[in-house]
Amino acid sequence: MKKNAITFLATMLAFSSYAQDPKLLISEMMDALGGKENFYNKGNVTYAYEYADPNSKTNLRGQETYVFDKELSHASYTEHSLLGAAGKVVEGYDGKDAWVTINGTLSSDEKANGIARFLRKTNYYWFAMFFKLLDDGVHQEFTGTKNINGKEYNIVKITFGDKIGDVQDTYILYINKETKLVDQFLFTVVGFGITEPNLMIYEYETIDGIKIATKRKYIAANWEGEVVGKQHAITNWTNIKFKTDIDKSIFIKK
């Protein structure tokens, strides 16, 4: 009897430790999405992008293209209210530097180039984000569990080292205990001076064996995940295609 009790206690302690290991929780999440190796083996992706935020009256519409090696990022916009441009806007990031052209003319405007760098790195990151959460310099912390609308979640806080990225945001992931997927997360946008969180929720779509959060909306919230805003910002990713024939010269400043 005593031996059985000790074995049971050891098993329960091991299970408790496993359930609270944030790296293991994130690794399980990656597997549930279709696998990190499977994702990166696709090499590149293109998709149509639509963003609308009624709070800031920001509207973006265009075609996004990424190459996973060196995190190359490109977008051709038909609507870009952040720059107030009436014509065609093209942004690129070659793994080091960002650039933007308006109606085919390379911009030297500091603000325009800053916005281009933010969008090129941010849009890429949010597409690949869930497969990057175990990268070097990313810090993971298990902070507890929570029941939301009858569903149980493990909560993992994500922060970044000082030299990781242009700015260091904070993410709070709500990982569904049953599906192993992130159903929602809190995030800051320090690059735009937003240090209080927004709450992102979304719907997944399976594309070529990978679950992608293609329909997204977010709203101002507090750190408990309670909504405090009045209107959602909406993002839609459509016509997603992996492994396309991409001319890498599109990422280079011309």
mmCIF file of all heavy atoms in Angstrom, residues 68-108:
data_model
loop_
_atom_site.group_PDB
_atom_site.id
_atom_site.type_symbol
_atom_site.label_atom_id
_atom_site.label_comp_id
_atom_site.label_asym_id
_atom_site.label_seq_id
_atom_site.Cartn_x
_atom_site.Cartn_y
_atom_site.Cartn_z
ATOM 1 N N PHE A 68 10.462 32.449 -45.379
ATOM 2 C CA PHE A 68 10.768 32.168 -43.982
ATOM 3 C C PHE A 68 12.261 32.272 -43.672
ATOM 4 O O PHE A 68 12.634 32.723 -42.595
ATOM 5 C CB PHE A 68 10.233 30.790 -43.596
ATOM 6 C CG PHE A 68 8.733 30.666 -43.761
ATOM 7 C CD1 PHE A 68 8.155 29.446 -44.083
ATOM 8 C CD2 PHE A 68 7.907 31.761 -43.611
ATOM 9 C CE1 PHE A 68 6.785 29.327 -44.230
ATOM 10 C CE2 PHE A 68 6.535 31.662 -43.762
ATOM 11 C CZ PHE A 68 5.965 30.437 -44.075
ATOM 12 N N ASP A 69 13.110 31.874 -44.605
ATOM 13 C CA ASP A 69 14.550 32.014 -44.404
ATOM 14 C C ASP A 69 14.907 33.500 -44.406
ATOM 15 O O ASP A 69 14.635 34.219 -45.374
ATOM 16 C CB ASP A 69 15.307 31.285 -45.518
ATOM 17 C CG ASP A 69 16.807 31.336 -45.320
ATOM 18 O OD1 ASP A 69 17.268 31.391 -44.162
ATOM 19 O OD2 ASP A 69 17.539 31.348 -46.341
ATOM 20 N N LYS A 70 15.479 33.977 -43.318
ATOM 21 C CA LYS A 70 15.848 35.383 -43.107
ATOM 22 C C LYS A 70 14.645 36.298 -42.918
ATOM 23 O O LYS A 70 14.786 37.514 -42.839
ATOM 24 C CB LYS A 70 16.741 35.904 -44.238
ATOM 25 C CG LYS A 70 18.060 35.158 -44.367
ATOM 26 C CD LYS A 70 18.923 35.741 -45.478
ATOM 27 C CE LYS A 70 20.225 34.956 -45.592
ATOM 28 N NZ LYS A 70 21.072 35.458 -46.695
ATOM 29 N N GLU A 71 13.444 35.721 -42.859
ATOM 30 C CA GLU A 71 12.218 36.460 -42.564
ATOM 31 C C GLU A 71 12.003 37.626 -43.524
ATOM 32 O O GLU A 71 11.663 38.746 -43.123
ATOM 33 C CB GLU A 71 12.212 36.910 -41.098
ATOM 34 C CG GLU A 71 12.329 35.735 -40.136
ATOM 35 C CD GLU A 71 12.109 36.092 -38.681
ATOM 36 O OE1 GLU A 71 11.979 37.297 -38.378
ATOM 37 O OE2 GLU A 71 12.071 35.171 -37.846
ATOM 38 N N LEU A 72 12.164 37.356 -44.811
ATOM 39 C CA LEU A 72 11.930 38.360 -45.843
ATOM 40 C C LEU A 72 10.442 38.674 -45.924
ATOM 41 O O LEU A 72 9.603 37.782 -45.822
ATOM 42 C CB LEU A 72 12.432 37.857 -47.190
ATOM 43 C CG LEU A 72 13.871 37.328 -47.246
ATOM 44 C CD1 LEU A 72 14.222 36.873 -48.659
ATOM 45 C CD2 LEU A 72 14.851 38.385 -46.759
ATOM 46 N N SER A 73 10.119 39.961 -46.136
ATOM 47 C CA SER A 73 8.720 40.385 -46.081
ATOM 48 C C SER A 73 8.448 41.451 -47.141
ATOM 49 O O SER A 73 9.240 42.377 -47.325
ATOM 50 C CB SER A 73 8.423 40.937 -44.679
ATOM 51 O OG SER A 73 7.107 41.413 -44.579
ATOM 52 N N HIS A 74 7.310 41.312 -47.825
ATOM 53 C CA HIS A 74 6.949 42.229 -48.910
ATOM 54 C C HIS A 74 5.438 42.407 -48.925
ATOM 55 O O HIS A 74 4.680 41.482 -48.624
ATOM 56 C CB HIS A 74 7.418 41.643 -50.249
ATOM 57 C CG HIS A 74 7.075 42.478 -51.448
ATOM 58 N ND1 HIS A 74 5.848 42.434 -52.064
ATOM 59 C CD2 HIS A 74 7.819 43.373 -52.152
ATOM 60 C CE1 HIS A 74 5.846 43.256 -53.101
ATOM 61 N NE2 HIS A 74 7.021 43.836 -53.175
ATOM 62 N N ALA A 75 4.972 43.607 -49.263
ATOM 63 C CA ALA A 75 3.540 43.850 -49.416
ATOM 64 C C ALA A 75 3.299 44.856 -50.525
ATOM 65 O O ALA A 75 4.039 45.840 -50.656
ATOM 66 C CB ALA A 75 2.927 44.360 -48.123
ATOM 67 N N SER A 76 2.272 44.605 -51.300
ATOM 68 C CA SER A 76 1.823 45.536 -52.320
ATOM 69 C C SER A 76 0.405 45.952 -51.952
ATOM 70 O O SER A 76 -0.506 45.120 -51.948
ATOM 71 C CB SER A 76 1.852 44.873 -53.701
ATOM 72 O OG SER A 76 1.394 45.752 -54.689
ATOM 73 N N TYR A 77 0.224 47.227 -51.615
ATOM 74 C CA TYR A 77 -1.048 47.715 -51.093
ATOM 75 C C TYR A 77 -1.879 48.428 -52.150
ATOM 76 O O TYR A 77 -1.359 49.190 -52.965
ATOM 77 C CB TYR A 77 -0.808 48.706 -49.956
ATOM 78 C CG TYR A 77 -0.306 48.101 -48.679
ATOM 79 C CD1 TYR A 77 1.058 48.107 -48.376
ATOM 80 C CD2 TYR A 77 -1.177 47.527 -47.752
ATOM 81 C CE1 TYR A 77 1.540 47.568 -47.196
ATOM 82 C CE2 TYR A 77 -0.710 46.984 -46.569
ATOM 83 C CZ TYR A 77 0.644 47.007 -46.288
ATOM 84 O OH TYR A 77 1.115 46.460 -45.117
ATOM 85 N N THR A 78 -3.180 48.207 -52.074
ATOM 86 C CA THR A 78 -4.127 49.013 -52.848
ATOM 87 C C THR A 78 -4.781 50.065 -51.953
ATOM 88 O O THR A 78 -5.404 51.009 -52.445
ATOM 89 C CB THR A 78 -5.214 48.126 -53.475
ATOM 90 O OG1 THR A 78 -5.855 47.359 -52.441
ATOM 91 C CG2 THR A 78 -4.601 47.176 -54.496
ATOM 92 N N GLU A 79 -4.648 49.897 -50.633
ATOM 93 C CA GLU A 79 -5.131 50.885 -49.666
ATOM 94 C C GLU A 79 -4.176 50.912 -48.481
ATOM 95 O O GLU A 79 -3.811 49.865 -47.951
ATOM 96 C CB GLU A 79 -6.543 50.543 -49.189
ATOM 97 C CG GLU A 79 -7.154 51.582 -48.264
ATOM 98 C CD GLU A 79 -8.600 51.287 -47.903
ATOM 99 O OE1 GLU A 79 -9.074 50.187 -48.262
ATOM 100 O OE2 GLU A 79 -9.250 52.143 -47.267
ATOM 101 N N HIS A 80 -3.749 52.123 -48.078
ATOM 102 C CA HIS A 80 -2.763 52.257 -47.010
ATOM 103 C C HIS A 80 -2.984 53.598 -46.321
ATOM 104 O O HIS A 80 -2.284 54.572 -46.576
ATOM 105 C CB HIS A 80 -1.353 52.184 -47.600
ATOM 106 C CG HIS A 80 -0.270 51.874 -46.594
ATOM 107 N ND1 HIS A 80 -0.163 52.509 -45.376
ATOM 108 C CD2 HIS A 80 0.765 50.991 -46.639
ATOM 109 C CE1 HIS A 80 0.889 52.037 -44.727
ATOM 110 N NE2 HIS A 80 1.461 51.109 -45.470
ATOM 111 N N SER A 81 -3.952 53.651 -45.408
ATOM 112 C CA SER A 81 -4.317 54.921 -44.795
ATOM 113 C C SER A 81 -3.248 55.464 -43.846
ATOM 114 O O SER A 81 -3.212 56.664 -43.569
ATOM 115 C CB SER A 81 -5.644 54.774 -44.043
ATOM 116 O OG SER A 81 -5.518 53.865 -42.963
ATOM 117 N N LEU A 82 -2.355 54.612 -43.341
ATOM 118 C CA LEU A 82 -1.300 55.093 -42.439
ATOM 119 C C LEU A 82 -0.370 56.081 -43.128
ATOM 120 O O LEU A 82 0.192 56.967 -42.484
ATOM 121 C CB LEU A 82 -0.490 53.912 -41.892
ATOM 122 C CG LEU A 82 -1.145 53.088 -40.788
ATOM 123 C CD1 LEU A 82 -0.275 51.892 -40.444
ATOM 124 C CD2 LEU A 82 -1.382 53.935 -39.545
ATOM 125 N N LEU A 83 -0.192 55.936 -44.427
ATOM 126 C CA LEU A 83 0.674 56.842 -45.169
ATOM 127 C C LEU A 83 -0.111 57.941 -45.882
ATOM 128 O O LEU A 83 0.482 58.857 -46.451
ATOM 129 C CB LEU A 83 1.505 56.057 -46.204
ATOM 130 C CG LEU A 83 2.511 55.061 -45.626
ATOM 131 C CD1 LEU A 83 3.279 54.378 -46.743
ATOM 132 C CD2 LEU A 83 3.476 55.761 -44.674
ATOM 133 N N GLY A 84 -1.433 57.838 -45.843
ATOM 134 C CA GLY A 84 -2.242 58.827 -46.531
ATOM 135 C C GLY A 84 -1.967 58.866 -48.021
ATOM 136 O O GLY A 84 -2.099 59.906 -48.675
ATOM 137 N N ALA A 85 -1.557 57.723 -48.563
ATOM 138 C CA ALA A 85 -1.167 57.666 -49.976
ATOM 139 C C ALA A 85 -2.365 57.316 -50.835
ATOM 140 O O ALA A 85 -3.082 56.356 -50.566
ATOM 141 C CB ALA A 85 -0.064 56.625 -50.172
ATOM 142 N N ALA A 86 -2.580 58.102 -51.875
ATOM 143 C CA ALA A 86 -3.697 57.853 -52.778
ATOM 144 C C ALA A 86 -3.361 56.798 -53.819
ATOM 145 O O ALA A 86 -4.237 56.181 -54.399
ATOM 146 C CB ALA A 86 -4.106 59.156 -53.473
ATOM 147 N N GLY A 87 -2.061 56.590 -54.041
ATOM 148 C CA GLY A 87 -1.648 55.651 -55.066
ATOM 149 C C GLY A 87 -1.170 54.329 -54.516
ATOM 150 O O GLY A 87 -1.445 53.969 -53.368
ATOM 151 N N LYS A 88 -0.447 53.598 -55.314
ATOM 152 C CA LYS A 88 0.018 52.264 -54.950
ATOM 153 C C LYS A 88 1.219 52.353 -54.002
ATOM 154 O O LYS A 88 2.175 53.079 -54.266
ATOM 155 C CB LYS A 88 0.406 51.486 -56.204
ATOM 156 C CG LYS A 88 0.811 50.054 -55.940
ATOM 157 C CD LYS A 88 1.109 49.322 -57.238
ATOM 158 C CE LYS A 88 1.509 47.874 -56.964
ATOM 159 N NZ LYS A 88 1.808 47.144 -58.229
ATOM 160 N N VAL A 89 1.153 51.594 -52.919
ATOM 161 C CA VAL A 89 2.232 51.546 -51.936
ATOM 162 C C VAL A 89 2.830 50.146 -51.920
ATOM 163 O O VAL A 89 2.108 49.155 -51.841
ATOM 164 C CB VAL A 89 1.728 51.903 -50.522
ATOM 165 C CG1 VAL A 89 2.842 51.733 -49.492
ATOM 166 C CG2 VAL A 89 1.189 53.326 -50.493
ATOM 167 N N VAL A 90 4.149 50.068 -51.992
ATOM 168 C CA VAL A 90 4.858 48.788 -51.908
ATOM 169 C C VAL A 90 5.889 48.894 -50.797
ATOM 170 O O VAL A 90 6.653 49.866 -50.729
ATOM 171 C CB VAL A 90 5.562 48.435 -53.239
ATOM 172 C CG1 VAL A 90 6.373 47.142 -53.093
ATOM 173 C CG2 VAL A 90 4.542 48.296 -54.357
ATOM 174 N N GLU A 91 5.889 47.898 -49.907
ATOM 175 C CA GLU A 91 6.857 47.844 -48.816
ATOM 176 C C GLU A 91 7.702 46.582 -48.939
ATOM 177 O O GLU A 91 7.216 45.557 -49.425
ATOM 178 C CB GLU A 91 6.148 47.802 -47.453
ATOM 179 C CG GLU A 91 5.338 49.033 -47.131
ATOM 180 C CD GLU A 91 4.555 48.866 -45.836
ATOM 181 O OE1 GLU A 91 4.469 47.720 -45.325
ATOM 182 O OE2 GLU A 91 4.029 49.871 -45.353
ATOM 183 N N GLY A 92 8.949 46.660 -48.482
ATOM 184 C CA GLY A 92 9.807 45.485 -48.483
ATOM 185 C C GLY A 92 10.743 45.467 -47.297
ATOM 186 O O GLY A 92 11.060 46.513 -46.720
ATOM 187 N N TYR A 93 11.161 44.265 -46.935
ATOM 188 C CA TYR A 93 12.150 44.071 -45.873
ATOM 189 C C TYR A 93 13.047 42.926 -46.300
ATOM 190 O O TYR A 93 12.575 41.819 -46.577
ATOM 191 C CB TYR A 93 11.458 43.743 -44.547
ATOM 192 C CG TYR A 93 12.420 43.473 -43.403
ATOM 193 C CD1 TYR A 93 13.174 44.490 -42.846
ATOM 194 C CD2 TYR A 93 12.557 42.177 -42.890
ATOM 195 C CE1 TYR A 93 14.053 44.241 -41.796
ATOM 196 C CE2 TYR A 93 13.417 41.918 -41.845
ATOM 197 C CZ TYR A 93 14.165 42.953 -41.298
ATOM 198 O OH TYR A 93 15.033 42.689 -40.265
ATOM 199 N N ASP A 94 14.356 43.194 -46.391
ATOM 200 C CA ASP A 94 15.307 42.230 -46.931
ATOM 201 C C ASP A 94 16.020 41.401 -45.864
ATOM 202 O O ASP A 94 17.007 40.723 -46.145
ATOM 203 C CB ASP A 94 16.342 42.948 -47.797
ATOM 204 C CG ASP A 94 17.183 43.964 -47.012
ATOM 205 O OD1 ASP A 94 17.062 44.019 -45.765
ATOM 206 O OD2 ASP A 94 17.955 44.702 -47.657
ATOM 207 N N GLY A 95 15.496 41.430 -44.634
ATOM 208 C CA GLY A 95 16.134 40.733 -43.527
ATOM 209 C C GLY A 95 16.956 41.658 -42.659
ATOM 210 O O GLY A 95 17.347 41.294 -41.548
ATOM 211 N N LYS A 96 17.180 42.884 -43.139
ATOM 212 C CA LYS A 96 17.950 43.873 -42.390
ATOM 213 C C LYS A 96 17.314 45.256 -42.478
ATOM 214 O O LYS A 96 17.106 45.920 -41.472
ATOM 215 C CB LYS A 96 19.389 43.933 -42.916
ATOM 216 C CG LYS A 96 20.274 44.928 -42.166
ATOM 217 C CD LYS A 96 21.688 44.924 -42.723
ATOM 218 C CE LYS A 96 22.553 45.942 -41.986
ATOM 219 N NZ LYS A 96 23.945 45.988 -42.556
ATOM 220 N N ASP A 97 17.025 45.696 -43.697
ATOM 221 C CA ASP A 97 16.494 47.041 -43.918
ATOM 222 C C ASP A 97 15.114 46.998 -44.552
ATOM 223 O O ASP A 97 14.804 46.108 -45.356
ATOM 224 C CB ASP A 97 17.440 47.844 -44.829
ATOM 225 C CG ASP A 97 18.815 48.033 -44.214
ATOM 226 O OD1 ASP A 97 18.879 48.373 -43.014
ATOM 227 O OD2 ASP A 97 19.815 47.821 -44.928
ATOM 228 N N ALA A 98 14.293 48.009 -44.198
ATOM 229 C CA ALA A 98 12.963 48.150 -44.777
ATOM 230 C C ALA A 98 12.941 49.354 -45.713
ATOM 231 O O ALA A 98 13.744 50.281 -45.578
ATOM 232 C CB ALA A 98 11.926 48.318 -43.682
ATOM 233 N N TRP A 99 12.010 49.331 -46.655
ATOM 234 C CA TRP A 99 11.864 50.431 -47.601
ATOM 235 C C TRP A 99 10.417 50.510 -48.056
ATOM 236 O O TRP A 99 9.633 49.578 -47.839
ATOM 237 C CB TRP A 99 12.781 50.232 -48.818
ATOM 238 C CG TRP A 99 12.650 48.882 -49.473
ATOM 239 C CD1 TRP A 99 13.385 47.766 -49.190
ATOM 240 C CD2 TRP A 99 11.708 48.496 -50.476
ATOM 241 N NE1 TRP A 99 12.960 46.703 -49.956
ATOM 242 C CE2 TRP A 99 11.943 47.120 -50.760
ATOM 243 C CE3 TRP A 99 10.698 49.165 -51.174
ATOM 244 C CZ2 TRP A 99 11.196 46.423 -51.711
ATOM 245 C CZ3 TRP A 99 9.945 48.463 -52.116
ATOM 246 C CH2 TRP A 99 10.214 47.117 -52.373
ATOM 247 N N VAL A 100 10.049 51.632 -48.686
ATOM 248 C CA VAL A 100 8.691 51.791 -49.186
ATOM 249 C C VAL A 100 8.729 52.651 -50.447
ATOM 250 O O VAL A 100 9.496 53.618 -50.530
ATOM 251 C CB VAL A 100 7.764 52.425 -48.123
ATOM 252 C CG1 VAL A 100 8.290 53.766 -47.633
ATOM 253 C CG2 VAL A 100 6.339 52.555 -48.648
ATOM 254 N N THR A 101 7.921 52.280 -51.429
ATOM 255 C CA THR A 101 7.743 53.110 -52.617
ATOM 256 C C THR A 101 6.280 53.513 -52.709
ATOM 257 O O THR A 101 5.385 52.754 -52.322
ATOM 258 C CB THR A 101 8.143 52.386 -53.914
ATOM 259 O OG1 THR A 101 7.281 51.250 -54.109
ATOM 260 C CG2 THR A 101 9.589 51.917 -53.862
ATOM 261 N N ILE A 102 6.041 54.728 -53.223
ATOM 262 C CA ILE A 102 4.692 55.232 -53.449
ATOM 263 C C ILE A 102 4.592 55.616 -54.912
ATOM 264 O O ILE A 102 5.354 56.454 -55.403
ATOM 265 C CB ILE A 102 4.386 56.435 -52.542
ATOM 266 C CG1 ILE A 102 4.529 56.030 -51.060
ATOM 267 C CG2 ILE A 102 2.972 56.966 -52.817
ATOM 268 C CD1 ILE A 102 4.388 57.186 -50.093
ATOM 269 N N ASN A 103 3.687 54.936 -55.618
ATOM 270 C CA ASN A 103 3.567 55.117 -57.072
ATOM 271 C C ASN A 103 4.901 54.912 -57.780
ATOM 272 O O ASN A 103 5.255 55.646 -58.710
ATOM 273 C CB ASN A 103 2.991 56.502 -57.389
ATOM 274 C CG ASN A 103 1.517 56.601 -57.061
ATOM 275 O OD1 ASN A 103 0.788 55.625 -57.174
ATOM 276 N ND2 ASN A 103 1.081 57.770 -56.632
ATOM 277 N N GLY A 104 5.665 53.925 -57.302
ATOM 278 C CA GLY A 104 6.911 53.556 -57.944
ATOM 279 C C GLY A 104 8.110 54.379 -57.550
ATOM 280 O O GLY A 104 9.230 54.104 -57.996
ATOM 281 N N THR A 105 7.930 55.381 -56.701
ATOM 282 C CA THR A 105 9.039 56.246 -56.284
ATOM 283 C C THR A 105 9.483 55.876 -54.875
ATOM 284 O O THR A 105 8.668 55.843 -53.944
ATOM 285 C CB THR A 105 8.621 57.727 -56.306
ATOM 286 O OG1 THR A 105 8.223 58.076 -57.630
ATOM 287 C CG2 THR A 105 9.772 58.624 -55.871
ATOM 288 N N LEU A 106 10.755 55.601 -54.707
ATOM 289 C CA LEU A 106 11.316 55.229 -53.406
ATOM 290 C C LEU A 106 11.218 56.411 -52.450
ATOM 291 O O LEU A 106 11.650 57.517 -52.769
ATOM 292 C CB LEU A 106 12.768 54.791 -53.567
ATOM 293 C CG LEU A 106 13.450 54.186 -52.337
ATOM 294 C CD1 LEU A 106 12.799 52.852 -51.967
ATOM 295 C CD2 LEU A 106 14.939 53.994 -52.600
ATOM 296 N N SER A 107 10.642 56.182 -51.277
ATOM 297 C CA SER A 107 10.449 57.252 -50.306
ATOM 298 C C SER A 107 11.666 57.390 -49.394
ATOM 299 O O SER A 107 12.236 56.397 -48.940
ATOM 300 C CB SER A 107 9.214 56.977 -49.455
ATOM 301 O OG SER A 107 9.075 57.958 -48.443
ATOM 302 N N SER A 108 12.028 58.637 -49.123
ATOM 303 C CA SER A 108 13.093 58.927 -48.157
ATOM 304 C C SER A 108 12.514 59.484 -46.868
ATOM 305 O O SER A 108 13.259 59.862 -45.958
ATOM 306 C CB SER A 108 14.092 59.924 -48.751
ATOM 307 O OG SER A 108 13.436 61.142 -49.089
#
